[in-house]
Amino acid sequence: MHAVAPAADSQSPAHAQPVDRTPVYGVDLLRFAAAALIVLYHLKPRTWGGEANAGGRILHMAPDAPMPNAWAWWGFIGVQVFFVISGLVIGFSARHATARGFVISRVTRLWPAMLICASIVAAFNIAFWGHHPGAELAPYLRAVLFWPMGPWVTQQIWTLGIEVAFYLLVWAIVAAGRAARLDWLAWALAIACGTFWLAWLGGLVQPGRMESLLLLRHGCYFGLGMALMKAGAG
């Protein structure tokens, strides 16, 4: 994450001051910790679980190798932490961005990394898991094109569609010239998500992919990150 300098005129992004690219190391460390939690969570069932899969064989580990499930299971929290960080980072960067600049910054940040990672995973699937190259093409394209509906080349990228949905919502606000009112979006996400959760707990709705893409299930985490940005910015 990088800190952003205030604009000379918040209503005119074209006259914004240069962005301060000073790293915020605390957020970067938190991001690393969240990634480690997610890796731990996925290693639990895949490597230390009860099934003798390819991952366990590659690492020369017995199917019943011990793994403290009681604490490894909590690694899923890393996903929610990433959503909060995303709300914080986007809240900073979008305040003084143009619509075009916002899109360019997101594409240049995400797409090269996705292209590299998806290519490695696809090659790994073909070489070690015996996937047919032709059958791997469609999931690969869904991944590199950020298609919101799976299956993808690896199902662990399910969160990116939700991230992109959040980016599109922020972009629409920036394009409308309302970037100074992004705190309203944080409240809207919190209210919509809280209402959905209450309905979910009451058995009135069942969460699915579409609810996630509409930010009804995870939107409150982005809203929390934006609220933290607002509190930090004063």
Side-chain angles (χ1 to χ4, degrees):
M1 176 194 168
H2 300 89
V4 179
D9 181 0
S10 60
Q11 299 301 319
S12 181
H15 297 90
Q17 296 178 357
V19 175
D20 179 5
R21 295 294 181 180
T22 304
V24 181
Y25 296 108
V27 174
D28 290 335
L29 288 173
L30 187 59
R31 183 184 285 117
F32 176 81
L37 285 171
I38 293 170
V39 169
L40 182 66
Y41 175 81
H42 284 292
L43 281 177
K44 175 182 68 67
R46 288 180 174 274
T47 300
W48 285 274
E51 55 183 277
N53 58 23
R57 292 195 298 272
I58 292 171
L59 296 175
H60 304 291
M61 303 188 71
D64 57 350
M67 181 62 179
N69 291 341
W71 54 267
W73 179 81
W74 287 97
F76 82 93
I77 294 175
V79 172
Q80 282 74 28
V81 173
F82 265 118
F83 288 155
V84 173
I85 293 174
S86 182
L88 176 66
V89 172
I90 296 303
F92 268 117
S93 61
R95 287 185 304 164
H96 312 295
T98 63
R100 180 175 180 272
F102 181 79
V103 171
I104 291 175
S105 69
R106 293 299 93 198
V107 171
T108 55
R109 184 176 180 87
L110 293 179
W111 190 77
M114 174 56 73
L115 184 63
I116 294 171
C117 293
S119 299
I120 293 174
V121 171
F124 198 89
N125 287 342
I126 294 170
F128 292 97
W129 267 262
H131 292 194
H132 191 278
E136 198 73 4
L137 179 60
Y140 173 79
L141 291 176
R142 291 191 192 98
V144 298
L145 295 176
F146 295 96
W147 192 253
M149 309 299 290
W152 305 277
V153 69
T154 175
Q155 299 310 303
Q156 279 70 38
I157 64 174
W158 64 271
T159 60
L160 285 179
I162 300 171
E163 291 273 0
V164 171
F166 173 62
Y167 297 159
L168 289 174
L169 189 56
V170 172
W171 172 84
I173 293 175
V174 171
R178 302 298 185 193
R181 296 291 181 262
L182 282 172
D183 52 325
W184 293 3
L185 175 60
W187 278 105
L189 289 172
I191 293 171
C193 192
T195 302
F196 176 78
W197 280 13
L198 288 174
W200 181 10
L201 292 174
L204 301 177
V205 296
Q206 289 297 322
R209 181 61 178 171
M210 188 56 64
E211 286 76 13
S212 294
L213 293 175
L214 292 174
L215 303 179
L216 294 176
R217 186 174 179 181
H218 307 283
C220 58
Y221 302 111
F222 296 106
L224 175 59
M226 298 176 75
L228 291 174
M229 178 278 299
K230 181 70 173 179

